[in-house]
Amino acid sequence: MEIFHIGAECYPVAKVGGLADVIGALPKYQNNTENTVRVVIPCYETTFRFQNDFECVHWGKLKLGTFNFPFSVLKEKTNKLGFELYLIEIPELFNRPDIYNYRDDIERFVAFQIASLDWIIGRNSIPDIIHCHDHHTGLIPFMSKYCPKYVKLKNVPTVITIHNSLYQGVFTFNKLYYLPEFDLIHIKELEWGNCINSLATAIKCADEVTTVSPTYLNEINYSGNGLETLYQRVRNKSKGILNGIDLDIWNPENDSMIAANYSIATFSEGKQQNKKKLCLQFGMNPTKPLFSFIGRLYNEKGADLLPKVVTSAFTTFKEEINILILGYGETEIENKLTQLLSTHKGNYNIYIGYDEELAHRTYASSDFILIPSRMEPCGLNQMYALRYGTIPIVRRTGGLKDTIIDFEDDGNGICHDQASVEDVCDSIERAVDLYKDKEQIDKLRIKGMNTNHSWKNVSQEYLELYNLITTKKYESQ
Ligand code: ADP
């Protein structure tokens, strides 16, 4: 099979969150003697772009309504990521340091999708599967099906994977002219809430809809950011497939980013060595339990609860615990968390920003990782934590519910139900008790480290899905 994964991020080329980890790993596990896997993302100004060798395999001019943008397709020469990586270079729109949050994001990603398809139809072969990820590629299933320009792709099965239903790529019909010509009889496929909604379009037009965990699929049927009825309508072509993690990258035994490597046999000393170094950097005492948070500082992540959680936890435990926060996002949350520095110096610290290495070091050093999310389509942090012998403290939602069970129910972590300061603090209290019971906490750490969340099985599940929709499509023609 020739499989195209098209998305906005890919680790280690360009990463904001879990989307990058998935697009950087799943294709690697699918690429084998039977399948050729190609990953297509925009060409941003990231260090990977400048530190690696690329060859230009295509250049052209894309039409975005009345605008014309020159673009080229750059292929990474060595396939060092384990698959063929292609960057769509549209200098005017993507030669910028950040991935998102520009005023012309709609123009950027519609242009990216058009350029991707322009290039794909110009190649000698037709893909067997086009796998789209999130709303940034949501118009592809529509355009490949209904735009005469892309008629060659009309019968190519498409999959949309929803990594986060909150972001939908919505824009007004004033910009309809951005899309290549199509028969207006199909215009309803683009519409949701009187606007063009990229994610809704993909959900309607793709042959299969997948979410990144089974529980998230159930949840969005009644809490789906305005798309509930649509999710209900497409239930018979939807599947929840839990993400895996890349065991090559997330492995405490050979992770070059952490201070000391360790295995199941040596985790006790190994984690302590890591913790010592991290605590030294952040002015904390490594003999105390370390609670960490790693993630985007937004309400959806429950990050708005953190300032009160920190205050309340230190009121209860005084100087008995350490808390470290690594993230960036809402200015208000960043400010509140920063203000707490002066009050809890020596036990609390925060790094505002994005730092991949620090994230690895934090997973390796922490005793507990806080994941109080309001919603979590899959969540990778809890799986990384398990792998590094760190106990996840999670709210039971989405993929967190599918991966973490409370230790009192013979599980692998600490769970609560409400996204509230009280529930998170209650879990911290239970964690402090657990920390005092070395035998029990060590048992839990070993259990976590033994969990296998490899992409190997998951990638097989996707391949079976591709086969199924290909057969269905063939039979219906
Ligand atoms: P998201 O909703 O952000 O995609 P996930 O749990 O799926 O959440 O994935 C988050 C990924 O981003 C993990 O690899 C995590 O380690 C990483 N991450 C999040 N915030 C930061 C940060 N500030 N610095 C480094 N890595 C981060």
Side-chain angles (χ1 to χ4, degrees):
M1 263 192 208
E2 187 186 19
I3 302 159
F4 273 75
H5 283 275
I6 312 183
E9 303 176 32
C10 173
Y11 179 83
V13 193
K15 173 170 171 178
V16 171
L19 174 65
D21 289 357
V22 173
I23 301 182
L26 169 63
K28 184 164 84 176
Y29 287 81
Q30 291 179 327
N31 204 21
N32 53 33
T33 47
E34 284 164 33
N35 305 307
T36 303
V37 186
R38 310 185 205 280
V39 169
V40 186
I41 66 164
C43 182
Y44 311 96
E45 273 183 339
T46 64
T47 42
F48 187 95
R49 160 72 185 94
F50 298 110
Q51 287 176 354
N52 291 277
D53 282 340
F54 288 83
E55 60 183 318
C56 180
V57 294
H58 177 89
W59 55 267
K61 214 171 230 184
L62 75 94
K63 236 173 91 59
L64 184 77
T66 48
F67 306 99
N68 286 298
F69 294 101
F71 76 97
S72 42
V73 181
L74 308 178
K75 179 183 180 299
E76 191 275 314
K77 276 186 176 168
T78 61
N79 299 341
K80 69 197 288 187
L81 300 184
F83 48 78
E84 291 183 14
L85 170 72
Y86 295 89
L87 305 183
I88 305 283
E89 186 175 45
I90 314 173
E92 266 185 79
L93 298 176
F94 286 97
N95 268 11
R96 306 175 191 181
D98 291 332
I99 297 178
Y100 309 120
N101 295 328
Y102 293 101
R103 279 172 61 183
D104 57 352
D105 273 357
I106 290 297
E107 285 74 12
R108 296 169 78 224
F109 286 101
V110 176
F112 162 64
Q113 295 175 77
I114 292 172
S116 301
L117 293 187
D118 282 359
W119 164 57
I120 291 173
I121 55 160
R123 297 172 67 251
N124 291 332
S125 61
I126 297 292
D128 294 296
I129 289 285
I130 298 181
H131 191 151
C132 304
H133 296 267
D134 271 351
H135 75 85
H136 320 98
T137 54
L139 300 174
I140 286 178
F142 174 89
M143 293 194 287
S144 62
K145 210 166 171 180
Y146 298 122
C147 294
K149 182 181 179 189
Y150 302 130
V151 66
K152 270 170 112 177
L153 304 175
K154 195 173 172 9
N155 294 319
V156 175
T158 51
V159 177
I160 176 76
T161 292
I162 300 168
H163 298 257
N164 195 334
S165 161
L166 189 59
Y167 306 101
Q168 300 176 0
V170 178
F171 54 105
T172 67
F173 272 96
N174 293 343
K175 294 182 175 177
L176 178 67
Y177 73 106
Y178 285 172
L179 302 192
E181 189 194 332
F182 63 93
D183 187 338
L184 285 176
I185 200 167
H186 302 299
I187 198 164
K188 280 300 276 178
E189 304 284 315
L190 294 168
E191 189 269 342
W192 196 261
N194 292 324
C195 286
I196 297 176
N197 181 314
S198 307
L199 187 64
T201 302
I203 294 166
K204 292 181 199 180
C205 299
D207 294 282
E208 187 77 21
V209 177
T210 70
T211 59
V212 287
S213 72
T215 293
Y216 189 58
L217 179 62
N218 292 336
E219 286 174 354
I220 55 179
N221 273 264
Y222 58 87
S223 177
N225 316 100
L227 301 181
E228 296 79 2
T229 53
L230 181 57
Y231 287 125
Q232 290 158 20
R233 215 160 80 199
V234 299
R235 195 65 208 233
N236 61 353
K237 61 164 187 179
S238 307
K239 193 167 187 207
I241 301 179
L242 188 71
N243 280 337
I245 60 171
D246 192 335
L247 301 184
D248 298 337
I249 300 206
W250 298 94
N251 182 358
E253 288 190 51
N254 57 20
D255 186 336
S256 59
M257 297 192 216
I258 64 179
N261 291 119
Y262 57 92
S263 64
I264 290 184
T266 59
F267 73 87
S268 234
E269 311 86 78
K271 281 189 75 67
Q272 193 55 32
Q273 267 175 278
N274 280 287
K275 190 172 167 185
K276 255 191 198 157
K277 187 144 184 226
L278 192 77
C279 284
L280 188 68
Q281 178 182 348
F282 287 102
M284 297 187 293
N285 180 341
T287 62
K288 296 170 186 173
L290 173 61
F291 293 80
S292 303
F293 173 95
I294 301 171
R296 295 178 293 117
L297 297 175
Y298 289 101
N299 287 18
E300 59 175 294
K301 292 284 179 193
D304 55 313
L305 303 172
L306 290 176
K308 283 194 177 153
V309 165
V310 171
T311 306
S312 173
F314 284 122
T315 306
T316 310
F317 294 107
K318 307 281 184 299
E319 293 180 358
E320 269 181 67
I321 60 169
N322 295 315
I323 301 180
L324 176 67
I325 291 175
L326 162 59
Y328 67 97
E330 291 275 351
T331 313
E332 194 186 331
I333 302 177
E334 288 181 1
N335 290 344
K336 280 187 182 166
L337 288 168
T338 306
Q339 278 158 18
L340 292 170
L341 277 172
S342 54
T343 327
H344 305 294
K345 203 163 180 263
N347 294 87
Y348 167 73
N349 219 323
I350 176 163
Y351 179 96
I352 304 270
Y354 185 91
D355 187 328
E356 190 72 22
E357 184 177 312
L358 183 55
H360 280 246
R361 292 174 52 215
T362 305
Y363 289 116
S365 308
S366 303
D367 296 293
F368 302 95
I369 196 110
L370 294 166
I371 316 180
S373 308
R374 292 209 152 68
M375 52 160 281
E376 196 59 79
C378 175
L380 296 171
N381 294 18
Q382 78 280 15
M383 296 195 240
Y384 297 146
L386 291 176
R387 182 107 172 111
Y388 284 75
T390 301
I391 315 288
I393 297 180
V394 311
R395 170 163 180 256
R396 287 187 187 94
T397 181
L400 296 171
K401 198 169 166 181
D402 291 333
T403 47
I404 306 300
I405 296 170
D406 196 89
F407 72 100
E408 290 188 24
D409 299 322
D410 200 21
N412 51 2
I414 299 177
C415 306
H416 52 264
D417 285 312
Q418 305 301 323
S420 68
V421 174
E422 292 72 23
D423 268 34
V424 180
C425 287
D426 186 56
S427 287
I428 293 177
E429 281 193 47
R430 293 172 62 218
V432 171
D433 285 342
L434 179 65
Y435 186 80
K436 290 174 189 152
D437 185 344
K438 181 148 169 53
E439 197 181 328
Q440 193 177 13
I441 197 169
D442 279 357
K443 247 194 220 161
L444 265 190
R445 291 193 204 281
I446 292 169
K447 193 176 198 173
M449 291 179 82
N450 270 323
T451 313
N452 185 356
H453 279 300
S454 157
W455 273 109
K456 220 175 189 170
N457 302 335
V458 187
S459 63
Q460 192 53 36
E461 214 173 320
Y462 275 110
L463 291 173
E464 281 163 19
L465 187 76
Y466 300 159
N467 279 324
L468 198 74
I469 56 175
T470 306
T471 313
K472 260 198 219 161
K473 195 133 190 162
Y474 181 72
E475 283 171 358
S476 69
Q477 278 161 28

PDB file of all heavy atoms in Angstrom, residues 15-19 21 250 294-296 301 326-328 353-356 359 363 376 379-381 384, ligand 1:
ATOM      1  N   LYS A  15       6.820  20.551  16.347  1.00  0.00           N
ATOM      2  CA  LYS A  15       5.944  20.000  17.392  1.00  0.00           C
ATOM      3  C   LYS A  15       5.351  21.083  18.285  1.00  0.00           C
ATOM      4  O   LYS A  15       6.067  21.975  18.735  1.00  0.00           O
ATOM      5  CB  LYS A  15       6.741  19.004  18.249  1.00  0.00           C
ATOM      6  CG  LYS A  15       5.983  18.501  19.480  1.00  0.00           C
ATOM      7  CD  LYS A  15       6.679  17.340  20.170  1.00  0.00           C
ATOM      8  CE  LYS A  15       6.004  17.028  21.511  1.00  0.00           C
ATOM      9  NZ  LYS A  15       6.589  15.900  22.227  1.00  0.00           N
ATOM     10  N   VAL A  16       4.038  20.962  18.511  1.00  0.00           N
ATOM     11  CA  VAL A  16       3.382  21.770  19.534  1.00  0.00           C
ATOM     12  C   VAL A  16       2.884  20.833  20.632  1.00  0.00           C
ATOM     13  O   VAL A  16       2.955  21.126  21.810  1.00  0.00           O
ATOM     14  CB  VAL A  16       2.211  22.579  18.933  1.00  0.00           C
ATOM     15  CG1 VAL A  16       1.376  23.244  20.030  1.00  0.00           C
ATOM     16  CG2 VAL A  16       2.742  23.639  17.984  1.00  0.00           C
ATOM     17  N   GLY A  17       2.371  19.673  20.219  1.00  0.00           N
ATOM     18  CA  GLY A  17       1.836  18.733  21.212  1.00  0.00           C
ATOM     19  C   GLY A  17       1.780  17.320  20.668  1.00  0.00           C
ATOM     20  O   GLY A  17       2.571  16.933  19.787  1.00  0.00           O
ATOM     21  N   GLY A  18       0.800  16.563  21.155  1.00  0.00           N
ATOM     22  CA  GLY A  18       0.703  15.135  20.865  1.00  0.00           C
ATOM     23  C   GLY A  18       0.526  14.805  19.386  1.00  0.00           C
ATOM     24  O   GLY A  18       0.955  13.732  18.932  1.00  0.00           O
ATOM     25  N   LEU A  19      -0.088  15.712  18.622  1.00  0.00           N
ATOM     26  CA  LEU A  19      -0.276  15.477  17.187  1.00  0.00           C
ATOM     27  C   LEU A  19       1.067  15.164  16.521  1.00  0.00           C
ATOM     28  O   LEU A  19       1.189  14.242  15.706  1.00  0.00           O
ATOM     29  CB  LEU A  19      -0.926  16.720  16.548  1.00  0.00           C
ATOM     30  CG  LEU A  19      -1.065  16.724  15.028  1.00  0.00           C
ATOM     31  CD1 LEU A  19      -2.017  15.635  14.564  1.00  0.00           C
ATOM     32  CD2 LEU A  19      -1.573  18.089  14.537  1.00  0.00           C
ATOM     33  N   ASP A  21       3.769  13.955  17.960  1.00  0.00           N
ATOM     34  CA  ASP A  21       4.296  12.658  18.402  1.00  0.00           C
ATOM     35  C   ASP A  21       3.659  11.527  17.590  1.00  0.00           C
ATOM     36  O   ASP A  21       4.322  10.563  17.220  1.00  0.00           O
ATOM     37  CB  ASP A  21       4.020  12.455  19.902  1.00  0.00           C
ATOM     38  CG  ASP A  21       4.879  13.363  20.770  1.00  0.00           C
ATOM     39  OD1 ASP A  21       5.718  14.091  20.212  1.00  0.00           O
ATOM     40  OD2 ASP A  21       4.712  13.352  22.005  1.00  0.00           O
ATOM     41  N   TRP A 250      11.023   7.271  23.755  1.00  0.00           N
ATOM     42  CA  TRP A 250      10.661   7.370  25.167  1.00  0.00           C
ATOM     43  C   TRP A 250      11.115   6.101  25.881  1.00  0.00           C
ATOM     44  O   TRP A 250      10.314   5.205  26.151  1.00  0.00           O
ATOM     45  CB  TRP A 250       9.158   7.608  25.306  1.00  0.00           C
ATOM     46  CG  TRP A 250       8.739   8.896  24.662  1.00  0.00           C
ATOM     47  CD1 TRP A 250       8.274   9.069  23.400  1.00  0.00           C
ATOM     48  CD2 TRP A 250       8.787  10.204  25.252  1.00  0.00           C
ATOM     49  NE1 TRP A 250       8.024  10.398  23.158  1.00  0.00           N
ATOM     50  CE2 TRP A 250       8.319  11.123  24.282  1.00  0.00           C
ATOM     51  CE3 TRP A 250       9.164  10.693  26.503  1.00  0.00           C
ATOM     52  CZ2 TRP A 250       8.237  12.498  24.526  1.00  0.00           C
ATOM     53  CZ3 TRP A 250       9.080  12.063  26.746  1.00  0.00           C
ATOM     54  CH2 TRP A 250       8.616  12.946  25.760  1.00  0.00           C
ATOM     55  N   ILE A 294       3.215  18.844  32.978  1.00  0.00           N
ATOM     56  CA  ILE A 294       3.848  19.180  31.691  1.00  0.00           C
ATOM     57  C   ILE A 294       2.712  19.367  30.690  1.00  0.00           C
ATOM     58  O   ILE A 294       1.923  18.440  30.471  1.00  0.00           O
ATOM     59  CB  ILE A 294       4.755  18.034  31.174  1.00  0.00           C
ATOM     60  CG1 ILE A 294       5.856  17.708  32.180  1.00  0.00           C
ATOM     61  CG2 ILE A 294       5.343  18.377  29.805  1.00  0.00           C
ATOM     62  CD1 ILE A 294       6.664  16.460  31.842  1.00  0.00           C
ATOM     63  N   GLY A 295       2.599  20.534  30.098  1.00  0.00           N
ATOM     64  CA  GLY A 295       1.548  20.653  29.093  1.00  0.00           C
ATOM     65  C   GLY A 295       1.178  22.076  28.783  1.00  0.00           C
ATOM     66  O   GLY A 295       1.715  23.033  29.356  1.00  0.00           O
ATOM     67  N   ARG A 296       0.243  22.185  27.841  1.00  0.00           N
ATOM     68  CA  ARG A 296      -0.242  23.496  27.438  1.00  0.00           C
ATOM     69  C   ARG A 296      -1.085  24.076  28.580  1.00  0.00           C
ATOM     70  O   ARG A 296      -1.914  23.375  29.156  1.00  0.00           O
ATOM     71  CB  ARG A 296      -1.075  23.360  26.153  1.00  0.00           C
ATOM     72  CG  ARG A 296      -0.233  22.890  24.986  1.00  0.00           C
ATOM     73  CD  ARG A 296      -1.034  22.706  23.715  1.00  0.00           C
ATOM     74  NE  ARG A 296      -1.989  21.627  23.795  1.00  0.00           N
ATOM     75  CZ  ARG A 296      -3.306  21.764  23.709  1.00  0.00           C
ATOM     76  NH1 ARG A 296      -3.832  22.960  23.552  1.00  0.00           N
ATOM     77  NH2 ARG A 296      -4.100  20.724  23.775  1.00  0.00           N
ATOM     78  N   LYS A 301      -6.891  21.656  29.556  1.00  0.00           N
ATOM     79  CA  LYS A 301      -5.930  20.797  30.264  1.00  0.00           C
ATOM     80  C   LYS A 301      -6.123  20.866  31.783  1.00  0.00           C
ATOM     81  O   LYS A 301      -5.344  20.279  32.534  1.00  0.00           O
ATOM     82  CB  LYS A 301      -4.492  21.223  29.920  1.00  0.00           C
ATOM     83  CG  LYS A 301      -4.118  20.951  28.482  1.00  0.00           C
ATOM     84  CD  LYS A 301      -3.834  19.477  28.279  1.00  0.00           C
ATOM     85  CE  LYS A 301      -3.471  19.140  26.855  1.00  0.00           C
ATOM     86  NZ  LYS A 301      -3.491  17.693  26.601  1.00  0.00           N
ATOM     87  N   LEU A 326       5.835  22.815  33.894  1.00  0.00           N
ATOM     88  CA  LEU A 326       6.494  23.098  32.616  1.00  0.00           C
ATOM     89  C   LEU A 326       5.401  23.299  31.579  1.00  0.00           C
ATOM     90  O   LEU A 326       4.621  22.386  31.294  1.00  0.00           O
ATOM     91  CB  LEU A 326       7.384  21.907  32.214  1.00  0.00           C
ATOM     92  CG  LEU A 326       7.835  21.794  30.763  1.00  0.00           C
ATOM     93  CD1 LEU A 326       8.622  23.016  30.321  1.00  0.00           C
ATOM     94  CD2 LEU A 326       8.692  20.536  30.570  1.00  0.00           C
ATOM     95  N   GLY A 327       5.303  24.515  31.056  1.00  0.00           N
ATOM     96  CA  GLY A 327       4.267  24.752  30.047  1.00  0.00           C
ATOM     97  C   GLY A 327       4.153  26.211  29.679  1.00  0.00           C
ATOM     98  O   GLY A 327       4.849  27.063  30.225  1.00  0.00           O
ATOM     99  N   TYR A 328       3.293  26.466  28.706  1.00  0.00           N
ATOM    100  CA  TYR A 328       2.997  27.846  28.339  1.00  0.00           C
ATOM    101  C   TYR A 328       1.594  27.854  27.748  1.00  0.00           C
ATOM    102  O   TYR A 328       1.051  26.809  27.383  1.00  0.00           O
ATOM    103  CB  TYR A 328       4.017  28.389  27.326  1.00  0.00           C
ATOM    104  CG  TYR A 328       3.931  27.717  25.972  1.00  0.00           C
ATOM    105  CD1 TYR A 328       3.199  28.303  24.927  1.00  0.00           C
ATOM    106  CD2 TYR A 328       4.523  26.484  25.754  1.00  0.00           C
ATOM    107  CE1 TYR A 328       3.105  27.665  23.699  1.00  0.00           C
ATOM    108  CE2 TYR A 328       4.422  25.848  24.530  1.00  0.00           C
ATOM    109  CZ  TYR A 328       3.714  26.447  23.503  1.00  0.00           C
ATOM    110  OH  TYR A 328       3.591  25.817  22.296  1.00  0.00           O
ATOM    111  N   GLY A 353       7.396  27.950  28.909  1.00  0.00           N
ATOM    112  CA  GLY A 353       7.969  27.776  27.574  1.00  0.00           C
ATOM    113  C   GLY A 353       7.856  26.335  27.136  1.00  0.00           C
ATOM    114  O   GLY A 353       7.229  25.501  27.819  1.00  0.00           O
ATOM    115  N   TYR A 354       8.469  26.056  26.001  1.00  0.00           N
ATOM    116  CA  TYR A 354       8.464  24.700  25.465  1.00  0.00           C
ATOM    117  C   TYR A 354       9.895  24.188  25.453  1.00  0.00           C
ATOM    118  O   TYR A 354      10.785  24.850  24.912  1.00  0.00           O
ATOM    119  CB  TYR A 354       7.901  24.693  24.030  1.00  0.00           C
ATOM    120  CG  TYR A 354       7.784  23.299  23.506  1.00  0.00           C
ATOM    121  CD1 TYR A 354       6.615  22.574  23.673  1.00  0.00           C
ATOM    122  CD2 TYR A 354       8.866  22.670  22.903  1.00  0.00           C
ATOM    123  CE1 TYR A 354       6.524  21.263  23.250  1.00  0.00           C
ATOM    124  CE2 TYR A 354       8.785  21.360  22.482  1.00  0.00           C
ATOM    125  CZ  TYR A 354       7.612  20.668  22.662  1.00  0.00           C
ATOM    126  OH  TYR A 354       7.530  19.366  22.251  1.00  0.00           O
ATOM    127  N   ASP A 355      10.147  23.041  26.074  1.00  0.00           N
ATOM    128  CA  ASP A 355      11.497  22.498  26.103  1.00  0.00           C
ATOM    129  C   ASP A 355      11.420  20.965  26.122  1.00  0.00           C
ATOM    130  O   ASP A 355      11.100  20.355  27.156  1.00  0.00           O
ATOM    131  CB  ASP A 355      12.227  23.023  27.354  1.00  0.00           C
ATOM    132  CG  ASP A 355      13.700  22.632  27.356  1.00  0.00           C
ATOM    133  OD1 ASP A 355      14.052  21.563  26.841  1.00  0.00           O
ATOM    134  OD2 ASP A 355      14.500  23.420  27.901  1.00  0.00           O
ATOM    135  N   GLU A 356      11.692  20.388  24.961  1.00  0.00           N
ATOM    136  CA  GLU A 356      11.559  18.931  24.803  1.00  0.00           C
ATOM    137  C   GLU A 356      12.463  18.180  25.793  1.00  0.00           C
ATOM    138  O   GLU A 356      12.032  17.225  26.434  1.00  0.00           O
ATOM    139  CB  GLU A 356      11.921  18.567  23.356  1.00  0.00           C
ATOM    140  CG  GLU A 356      11.616  17.144  22.951  1.00  0.00           C
ATOM    141  CD  GLU A 356      10.134  16.836  22.768  1.00  0.00           C
ATOM    142  OE1 GLU A 356       9.325  17.762  22.541  1.00  0.00           O
ATOM    143  OE2 GLU A 356       9.781  15.656  22.882  1.00  0.00           O
ATOM    144  N   ALA A 359      11.228  18.286  29.284  1.00  0.00           N
ATOM    145  CA  ALA A 359      10.081  17.393  29.451  1.00  0.00           C
ATOM    146  C   ALA A 359      10.583  15.976  29.745  1.00  0.00           C
ATOM    147  O   ALA A 359      10.133  15.333  30.706  1.00  0.00           O
ATOM    148  CB  ALA A 359       9.203  17.412  28.205  1.00  0.00           C
ATOM    149  N   TYR A 363       9.839  13.886  33.214  1.00  0.00           N
ATOM    150  CA  TYR A 363       9.214  12.547  33.341  1.00  0.00           C
ATOM    151  C   TYR A 363      10.125  11.626  34.146  1.00  0.00           C
ATOM    152  O   TYR A 363       9.672  10.847  34.988  1.00  0.00           O
ATOM    153  CB  TYR A 363       8.977  11.921  31.956  1.00  0.00           C
ATOM    154  CG  TYR A 363       7.872  12.570  31.144  1.00  0.00           C
ATOM    155  CD1 TYR A 363       8.150  13.212  29.942  1.00  0.00           C
ATOM    156  CD2 TYR A 363       6.543  12.521  31.571  1.00  0.00           C
ATOM    157  CE1 TYR A 363       7.156  13.808  29.187  1.00  0.00           C
ATOM    158  CE2 TYR A 363       5.535  13.112  30.811  1.00  0.00           C
ATOM    159  CZ  TYR A 363       5.844  13.756  29.631  1.00  0.00           C
ATOM    160  OH  TYR A 363       4.853  14.353  28.890  1.00  0.00           O
ATOM    161  N   GLU A 376      -9.508  15.169  27.362  1.00  0.00           N
ATOM    162  CA  GLU A 376      -8.215  14.618  26.921  1.00  0.00           C
ATOM    163  C   GLU A 376      -8.473  13.546  25.859  1.00  0.00           C
ATOM    164  O   GLU A 376      -8.772  12.396  26.180  1.00  0.00           O
ATOM    165  CB  GLU A 376      -7.484  14.015  28.125  1.00  0.00           C
ATOM    166  CG  GLU A 376      -6.017  13.773  27.898  1.00  0.00           C
ATOM    167  CD  GLU A 376      -5.238  15.036  27.538  1.00  0.00           C
ATOM    168  OE1 GLU A 376      -4.907  15.838  28.430  1.00  0.00           O
ATOM    169  OE2 GLU A 376      -4.996  15.220  26.332  1.00  0.00           O
ATOM    170  N   GLY A 379      -4.133  11.817  25.253  1.00  0.00           N
ATOM    171  CA  GLY A 379      -3.156  12.110  26.301  1.00  0.00           C
ATOM    172  C   GLY A 379      -1.979  11.160  26.127  1.00  0.00           C
ATOM    173  O   GLY A 379      -2.161   9.936  26.068  1.00  0.00           O
ATOM    174  N   LEU A 380      -0.801  11.747  26.008  1.00  0.00           N
ATOM    175  CA  LEU A 380       0.396  10.909  25.898  1.00  0.00           C
ATOM    176  C   LEU A 380       1.206  10.984  27.185  1.00  0.00           C
ATOM    177  O   LEU A 380       1.937  10.054  27.528  1.00  0.00           O
ATOM    178  CB  LEU A 380       1.251  11.377  24.710  1.00  0.00           C
ATOM    179  CG  LEU A 380       0.580  11.229  23.334  1.00  0.00           C
ATOM    180  CD1 LEU A 380       1.392  11.919  22.254  1.00  0.00           C
ATOM    181  CD2 LEU A 380       0.379   9.760  22.999  1.00  0.00           C
ATOM    182  N   ASN A 381       1.040  12.106  27.911  1.00  0.00           N
ATOM    183  CA  ASN A 381       1.866  12.307  29.113  1.00  0.00           C
ATOM    184  C   ASN A 381       1.769  11.142  30.102  1.00  0.00           C
ATOM    185  O   ASN A 381       2.764  10.743  30.689  1.00  0.00           O
ATOM    186  CB  ASN A 381       1.449  13.591  29.843  1.00  0.00           C
ATOM    187  CG  ASN A 381       1.745  14.827  29.025  1.00  0.00           C
ATOM    188  OD1 ASN A 381       1.941  14.742  27.824  1.00  0.00           O
ATOM    189  ND2 ASN A 381       1.789  15.978  29.678  1.00  0.00           N
ATOM    190  N   TYR A 384       3.884   8.282  28.797  1.00  0.00           N
ATOM    191  CA  TYR A 384       5.317   8.545  28.977  1.00  0.00           C
ATOM    192  C   TYR A 384       5.679   8.385  30.460  1.00  0.00           C
ATOM    193  O   TYR A 384       6.711   7.814  30.803  1.00  0.00           O
ATOM    194  CB  TYR A 384       5.687   9.959  28.510  1.00  0.00           C
ATOM    195  CG  TYR A 384       5.451  10.210  27.033  1.00  0.00           C
ATOM    196  CD1 TYR A 384       5.055  11.452  26.556  1.00  0.00           C
ATOM    197  CD2 TYR A 384       5.641   9.196  26.102  1.00  0.00           C
ATOM    198  CE1 TYR A 384       4.842  11.693  25.208  1.00  0.00           C
ATOM    199  CE2 TYR A 384       5.425   9.422  24.749  1.00  0.00           C
ATOM    200  CZ  TYR A 384       5.030  10.661  24.308  1.00  0.00           C
ATOM    201  OH  TYR A 384       4.821  10.883  22.970  1.00  0.00           O
TER     202      TYR A 384
HETATM  203  P1  ADP B   1      -1.780  17.821  23.631  1.00  0.00           P
HETATM  204  O1  ADP B   1      -3.238  18.025  23.844  1.00  0.00           O
HETATM  205  O2  ADP B   1      -1.001  19.042  24.000  1.00  0.00           O
HETATM  206  O3  ADP B   1      -1.441  17.317  22.274  1.00  0.00           O
HETATM  207  P2  ADP B   1      -0.733  15.275  24.617  1.00  0.00           P
HETATM  208  O4  ADP B   1      -0.711  14.680  25.978  1.00  0.00           O
HETATM  209  O5  ADP B   1      -1.378  14.475  23.546  1.00  0.00           O
HETATM  210  O6  ADP B   1      -1.368  16.729  24.722  1.00  0.00           O
HETATM  211  O7  ADP B   1       0.777  15.537  24.137  1.00  0.00           O
HETATM  212  C1  ADP B   1       1.573  16.471  24.742  1.00  0.00           C
HETATM  213  C2  ADP B   1       2.986  16.320  24.203  1.00  0.00           C
HETATM  214  O8  ADP B   1       3.629  17.598  24.238  1.00  0.00           O
HETATM  215  C3  ADP B   1       3.866  15.408  25.031  1.00  0.00           C
HETATM  216  O9  ADP B   1       4.897  14.893  24.218  1.00  0.00           O
HETATM  217  C4  ADP B   1       4.442  16.387  26.083  1.00  0.00           C
HETATM  218  O10 ADP B   1       5.622  15.899  26.670  1.00  0.00           O
HETATM  219  C5  ADP B   1       4.700  17.582  25.195  1.00  0.00           C
HETATM  220  N1  ADP B   1       4.698  18.874  25.859  1.00  0.00           N
HETATM  221  C6  ADP B   1       3.631  19.600  26.251  1.00  0.00           C
HETATM  222  N2  ADP B   1       4.008  20.789  26.753  1.00  0.00           N
HETATM  223  C7  ADP B   1       5.363  20.820  26.675  1.00  0.00           C
HETATM  224  C8  ADP B   1       6.345  21.782  27.033  1.00  0.00           C
HETATM  225  N3  ADP B   1       6.012  22.948  27.563  1.00  0.00           N
HETATM  226  N4  ADP B   1       7.642  21.481  26.803  1.00  0.00           N
HETATM  227  C9  ADP B   1       7.978  20.289  26.263  1.00  0.00           C
HETATM  228  N5  ADP B   1       7.097  19.335  25.912  1.00  0.00           N
HETATM  229  C10 ADP B   1       5.807  19.596  26.113  1.00  0.00           C
END
